[in-house]
Amino acid sequence: VPDDWTNLARRLPGVGRREALERNLREAICAGRLPAGTRLPASRALARELGLARGTVVEAYQQLVAEGHLLARRGSGTTVAAARAHPTPAAPPPPPAAPAPRISFHPGVGDLAGFPRALWLRALRRVLADAPPEVLGYGDPAGRPELRAALAAHLALARGMVTSPELVVPCAGFSHALALLARALRAQGARRIALEDPCIPLHREIVQAAGLAAVPLPVDERGARTELLPELRVDAAVVTPAHQFPLGATLAPERRAALVEWAQAHGRLVIEDDYDAELRYDRQPVGAVQGLEPERVATAGTVSKTLAPGLRLGWLALPPGLKSAVLAMRAREDRHLNALDQLVLAELLASGGLERHLRRLRARYGARRERLVAMLAERAPHVRVRGISAGLHAVLEVPDEDALVEAGARRGIELFGLRRFWHAEPRGPGALVLGYGAPPEHAFAAALAALGDLLDQPA
Amino acid sequence: VPDDWTNLARRLPGVGRREALERNLREAICAGRLPAGTRLPASRALARELGLARGTVVEAYQQLVAEGHLLARRGSGTTVAAARAHPTPAAPPPPPAAPAPRISFHPGVGDLAGFPRALWLRALRRVLADAPPEVLGYGDPAGRPELRAALAAHLALARGMVTSPELVVPCAGFSHALALLARALRAQGARRIALEDPCIPLHREIVQAAGLAAVPLPVDERGARTELLPELRVDAAVVTPAHQFPLGATLAPERRAALVEWAQAHGRLVIEDDYDAELRYDRQPVGAVQGLEPERVATAGTVSKTLAPGLRLGWLALPPGLKSAVLAMRAREDRHLNALDQLVLAELLASGGLERHLRRLRARYGARRERLVAMLAERAPHVRVRGISAGLHAVLEVPDEDALVEAGARRGIELFGLRRFWHAEPRGPGALVLGYGAPPEHAFAAALAALGDLLDQPA
């Protein structure tokens, strides 16, 4: 028995001698140190060498024979199994991390440091104290009934929606809802879907990956130009009526009417992205379009803007005609979200804990927006601010968005130009889509000052 | 102003008079009590009637005009908007709940009452105390790096797998992993996929929904007959090597070799369902097939059997060639699982908390299996027990499975016949797939006695 073999007796923390031998031997084979065809010492010889009981070695050999790493043939002893490629998969090294920006004005996230950790933990403690064991089972692919009931009640009251627990499906956010709807529409024969121009590029990718053509729907100061829908010959339209993303308008009343009339007259589907409707600072948010035509509108919302995107928690209120197709997809795929997370959100809705959190958020973000507007009036009066007083972002019309984004990057300030949101060519002036919600509260004043310095100076 | 209008002033809990008026008016329109064309009282008249300030009524009217529920035209006052169907979606009433069985022997779930609630809550408290705010952001669609690293280390040690954090993707359980893989394979041109016969019917549905033909791969006492794969002309094969579900064999060494040789020789994919490999009671579990050929095997595991299915937490170890396709799907759909849940599982893996829980589970379920076998030897010696000492279920060969399942149902005992798991016709004798893990610990003795009574008697 050569010296090399003695390494096989290396002890491993927390496991016995038999298992340590087995793991060391397996690792030596997988790493190629014991190539195919290598003849192993007789169990008696190896046991003596390693100071182990013979039975320990026999068992380890048997285990690796069972796994296919070793071959045992009468008369020829035990050998390493036939040559196979056993590389450690050569995953490319992760790209060198770009230095994190000092200040981010990401338009799609709120203040992550403000996530109400204690509120979440308390709610989970209550859920774990009260929930019967059955909630931990496979469960209904449509989701927990407690959450579906709490959401249906919340959406009726807060968003003027006409729905019922049977039609509300918890999901992992708007992009998940859109992926489900796009695949369901494609399976029903749909070919083309309109998306606002500008919009979030990921939403175009989602519908294209489902096999649908993404058709641009122009947007102006009154929101999406829904009066154009009949001539676009699309099967569905994705819209952000409460707060157009990114341009920031609320869909005007005649545009809402045109949207609903198109869906009714042509039997089409409206997909309403209600991503930040809880955050309006100047008045009550406009109710969801879904309330006008619950048979033809699917509305999806999320806690990404009000709690945190990392929770991957949202909901989809379905028109009755799409319910079975979407639920069948859930049943065949992820089944549903973590039941505990669903019960925590239900608890936060039912207890009023989420509503109290929202009141704090509205005060905080509303004040941030006012401070932004005041700073701009003082330090960059040439910058026009577009969009309603809502959500986490404002649109700042600037003479040269690309130069500003680059100048910001040089100073460690992450800015988002409007350019990335157009389908193809820009249909309007250059702008920054400025996420005033993103900086942590304690750093907001400094972030605003840094933005002022940037806009104050030639790029 | 007629009496009916006074209902509009009904106060609602927690909201002001303006918002209450707005909600009542919206609800009256949506419910059809104010039909299209109805002319509303002048704001001054309604305000006087309801005892509200005129401005309150004006604002409520404006809000509903903005939403499209009302039309305001100069000279003709305010009217309810053009006729639309506004039904409350007529969701079918939920089916009358069948009375829950008194005792369930579901083969796919463990003792849900034994879920370690305190362990989970403590781990979340630690995560919330330590995690930086960034973890709550949109994050990498591949999942949290902490969990991917913890899983890669765990899978190497406990399952003999050869992988790396870059190739391990947290997902919502095996069915989610299978749906992702099936869709990725279909997009790459695959047409046919082999599934063990018998297997879980949902897995057949998943691959069929992805557009693939589900081809039966026969199973015998030595596991799946992988030597038949070359003649099945399939692009991939779904197998349960550690513990065939439902028949309970471990894949024999020569079958493991044939499986890997087929994948290598024909460039095919093995999809390894490692659903309960942590639960073996008589010896060390056999390592994953993936360790023999990491370039051609995708292995998915889950906490459904060891913690709870309702958590929807699992993992998928990808061959390098499928990584980008699967990650692109995650990026376009749900993005990833709740980051907090991922960090809790990482914490349970890294702290050893999960391993300690597993040791308790093995002792508990191993003893249950022994008690089941002893009871059968005494009370139903004609029943043959198939399958290794592992997991949550045993296969009991019985003369007439259908009669037994029915007799059980009459007594409130939920039994699962083998019949439901075959692709088409049974390829073997009738049997019960008996989940001895499912009853709560305190009720196990009674459940076993009830089973004994049932098997003891003519059906």
Side-chain angles (χ1 to χ4, degrees):
Chain A
V1 177
D3 281 0
D4 285 8
W5 297 106
T6 59
N7 285 331
L8 295 177
R10 188 166 50 102
R11 295 302 303 269
L12 297 173
V15 303
R17 283 163 165 263
R18 205 275 315 270
E19 195 175 337
L21 172 63
E22 191 180 301
R23 288 185 184 183
N24 289 330
L25 195 52
R26 189 192 287 118
E27 198 268 332
I29 295 169
C30 289
R33 291 198 302 279
L34 295 178
T38 304
R39 189 166 172 161
L40 267 67
S43 55
R44 191 183 309 270
L46 188 61
R48 195 171 45 232
E49 181 67 23
L50 302 181
L52 297 171
R54 185 183 166 208
T56 304
V57 176
V58 169
E59 282 177 33
Y61 280 13
Q62 283 172 346
Q63 175 76 16
L64 292 168
V65 168
E67 295 180 8
H69 292 292
L70 295 179
L71 296 174
R73 295 221 173 81
R74 258 176 222 295
S76 63
T78 305
T79 54
V80 174
R84 285 177 190 137
H86 295 215
T88 299
R102 200 166 44 90
I103 297 168
S104 172
F105 286 106
H106 191 300
V109 289
D111 176 0
L112 299 175
F115 174 73
R117 297 183 183 212
L119 182 71
W120 187 268
L121 188 65
R122 269 201 311 275
L124 178 65
R125 188 182 301 118
R126 275 195 297 269
V127 164
L128 285 173
D130 296 341
E134 305 87 82
V135 307
L136 291 159
Y138 276 99
D140 185 342
R144 289 300 314 165
E146 299 88 340
L147 178 57
R148 302 171 78 196
L151 284 170
H154 167 76
L155 296 173
L157 269 180
R159 305 294 303 125
M161 286 171 60
V162 179
T163 186
S164 67
E166 290 74 30
L167 294 171
V168 177
V169 183
C171 64
F174 181 76
S175 52
H176 187 201
L178 179 59
L180 291 166
L181 291 170
R183 287 163 55 207
L185 287 171
R186 185 68 194 82
Q188 293 178 1
R191 294 270 166 191
R192 292 160 58 84
I193 191 163
L195 294 109
E196 294 171 335
D197 186 16
C199 73
I200 295 179
L202 176 65
H203 297 174
R204 290 196 292 271
E205 292 167 26
I206 289 169
V207 304
Q208 286 164 343
L212 295 160
V215 178
L217 174 64
V219 174
D220 65 19
E221 295 280 337
R222 300 181 67 74
R225 295 189 53 197
T226 52
E227 77 279 10
L228 302 176
L229 281 169
E231 70 199 56
L232 294 182
R233 303 188 320 282
V234 290
D235 302 286
V238 182
V239 286
T240 49
H243 189 208
Q244 205 278 331
F245 194 91
L247 290 182
T250 294
L251 191 62
E254 77 280 7
R255 299 273 175 88
R256 289 168 71 95
L259 178 63
V260 169
E261 276 153 27
W262 165 76
Q264 288 175 326
H266 302 265
R268 303 307 191 212
L269 181 71
V270 174
I271 299 175
E272 179 173 34
D273 180 359
D274 211 32
Y275 66 104
D276 72 354
E278 299 86 353
L279 300 175
R280 176 130 193 192
Y281 314 123
D282 54 345
R283 51 172 281 179
Q284 280 297 110
V286 171
V289 168
Q290 193 267 2
L292 295 175
E293 181 43 288
E295 304 271 357
R296 293 260 146 238
V297 183
T299 301
T302 176
V303 304
S304 291
K305 313 304 169 189
T306 54
L307 287 168
L311 300 177
R312 310 312 304 130
L313 265 173
W315 51 85
L316 170 57
L318 287 164
L322 277 171
K323 180 186 159 193
S324 62
V326 168
L327 290 188
M329 288 164 71
R330 295 307 296 279
R332 285 192 309 259
E333 296 181 9
D334 54 13
R335 293 192 73 87
H336 54 71
L337 309 176
N338 183 335
L340 296 178
D341 295 333
Q342 293 186 64
L343 292 176
V344 166
L345 182 55
E347 159 75 22
L348 292 176
L349 284 165
S351 67
L354 186 62
E355 187 55 42
R356 283 189 295 277
H357 172 66
L358 286 178
R359 279 204 290 272
R360 282 190 297 270
L361 281 191
R362 283 187 204 108
R364 190 182 303 163
Y365 291 140
R368 286 190 186 198
R369 189 183 164 97
E370 283 179 19
R371 288 166 70 185
L372 169 67
V373 170
M375 182 282 283
L376 291 171
E378 187 192 323
R379 301 198 56 186
H382 61 287
V383 172
R384 182 174 159 230
V385 183
R386 292 174 67 175
I388 59 172
S389 181
L392 301 171
H393 77 282
V395 175
L396 314 189
E397 274 184 21
V398 291
D400 187 345
E401 70 170 74
D402 296 338
L404 268 173
V405 170
E406 271 177 43
R410 283 196 299 273
R411 300 188 195 189
I413 305 173
E414 186 179 39
L415 296 172
F416 291 75
L418 181 55
R419 184 178 304 283
R420 68 168 72 198
F421 299 103
W422 299 107
H423 283 232
E425 288 303 296
R427 294 178 190 252
L432 298 178
V433 183
L434 191 96
Y436 52 80
E441 190 69 8
H442 67 85
F444 185 68
L448 213 53
L451 178 67
D453 292 343
L454 194 71
L455 293 170
D456 222 357
Q457 292 175 17
Chain B
V1 176
D3 280 0
D4 285 8
W5 297 106
T6 59
N7 285 331
L8 296 177
R10 187 167 50 99
R11 294 301 303 266
L12 298 173
V15 303
R17 283 163 166 263
R18 206 274 316 269
E19 195 174 336
L21 172 62
E22 191 181 301
R23 289 184 183 182
N24 289 331
L25 195 50
R26 189 192 287 118
E27 198 269 331
I29 295 168
C30 290
R33 291 198 302 280
L34 293 179
T38 305
R39 189 165 173 160
L40 268 65
S43 54
R44 192 184 308 270
L46 188 61
R48 195 170 45 232
E49 180 67 22
L50 301 182
L52 298 172
R54 185 182 167 209
T56 304
V57 175
V58 169
E59 283 177 32
Y61 280 13
Q62 283 172 347
Q63 174 76 17
L64 291 168
V65 167
E67 295 181 7
H69 291 293
L70 295 180
L71 296 174
R73 295 222 174 81
R74 258 176 223 294
S76 62
T78 305
T79 55
V80 175
R84 285 177 190 138
H86 296 216
T88 298
R102 199 165 47 88
I103 297 168
S104 173
F105 287 105
H106 191 301
V109 289
D111 176 0
L112 299 175
F115 174 73
R117 297 183 183 213
L119 181 71
W120 187 268
L121 187 65
R122 268 201 312 275
L124 178 65
R125 188 183 300 118
R126 275 195 297 270
V127 163
L128 285 173
D130 296 340
E134 305 87 83
V135 305
L136 292 159
Y138 276 98
D140 185 341
R144 289 300 313 164
E146 298 89 340
L147 178 58
R148 302 171 77 195
L151 284 169
H154 168 76
L155 296 174
L157 268 180
R159 304 294 302 125
M161 286 171 59
V162 179
T163 185
S164 68
E166 290 73 31
L167 293 170
V168 177
V169 183
C171 64
F174 181 76
S175 53
H176 187 201
L178 180 59
L180 290 166
L181 291 170
R183 287 163 55 209
L185 286 170
R186 185 68 194 83
Q188 293 178 1
R191 295 269 164 190
R192 292 161 60 84
I193 191 163
L195 294 109
E196 294 171 335
D197 186 18
C199 72
I200 295 178
L202 176 65
H203 296 174
R204 289 196 293 271
E205 292 167 27
I206 289 170
V207 304
Q208 286 164 343
L212 294 160
V215 178
L217 173 65
V219 174
D220 65 18
E221 295 281 335
R222 300 182 67 73
R225 295 188 54 197
T226 53
E227 77 280 10
L228 301 176
L229 281 169
E231 69 199 57
L232 294 182
R233 303 188 321 281
V234 290
D235 302 285
V238 181
V239 287
T240 49
H243 190 208
Q244 205 278 329
F245 193 91
L247 290 181
T250 295
L251 191 62
E254 77 279 8
R255 299 274 175 88
R256 289 168 69 96
L259 178 63
V260 169
E261 275 153 26
W262 164 77
Q264 288 175 326
H266 302 264
R268 303 307 191 211
L269 181 71
V270 175
I271 299 175
E272 180 173 32
D273 181 359
D274 210 33
Y275 65 105
D276 72 354
E278 299 86 354
L279 301 175
R280 176 128 193 194
Y281 315 125
D282 54 344
R283 51 172 282 178
Q284 282 296 110
V286 172
V289 168
Q290 194 268 2
L292 295 175
E293 182 42 288
E295 304 272 357
R296 293 259 144 238
V297 183
T299 301
T302 175
V303 304
S304 291
K305 313 305 169 190
T306 54
L307 287 168
L311 300 178
R312 310 313 303 130
L313 265 173
W315 53 83
L316 170 58
L318 287 164
L322 278 170
K323 181 186 159 193
S324 62
V326 169
L327 290 188
M329 289 164 71
R330 296 305 297 278
R332 284 192 310 259
E333 296 181 8
D334 55 12
R335 293 192 72 87
H336 53 72
L337 309 176
N338 184 334
L340 296 179
D341 295 332
Q342 293 187 64
L343 292 177
V344 166
L345 182 55
E347 159 76 21
L348 292 176
L349 285 165
S351 67
L354 186 62
E355 187 54 42
R356 283 189 294 277
H357 172 66
L358 285 178
R359 279 203 290 272
R360 282 191 296 270
L361 281 191
R362 283 187 205 109
R364 189 182 302 163
Y365 292 139
R368 286 191 185 198
R369 190 183 164 96
E370 282 177 20
R371 289 166 69 185
L372 168 68
V373 170
M375 183 280 284
L376 291 171
E378 188 191 324
R379 301 198 55 186
H382 61 288
V383 172
R384 183 175 160 230
V385 183
R386 292 174 67 176
I388 59 171
S389 181
L392 300 171
H393 77 282
V395 175
L396 314 188
E397 274 184 22
V398 292
D400 188 344
E401 69 170 74
D402 296 338
L404 268 174
V405 170
E406 271 177 43
R410 283 195 299 274
R411 300 187 193 188
I413 305 173
E414 186 180 38
L415 296 172
F416 291 74
L418 181 56
R419 184 178 303 282
R420 67 169 72 198
F421 299 103
W422 298 106
H423 283 232
E425 288 304 295
R427 293 179 190 252
L432 299 178
V433 183
L434 191 95
Y436 52 80
E441 189 69 9
H442 67 84
F444 184 68
L448 212 52
L451 179 67
D453 292 343
L454 193 70
L455 292 170
D456 221 357
Q457 293 176 16

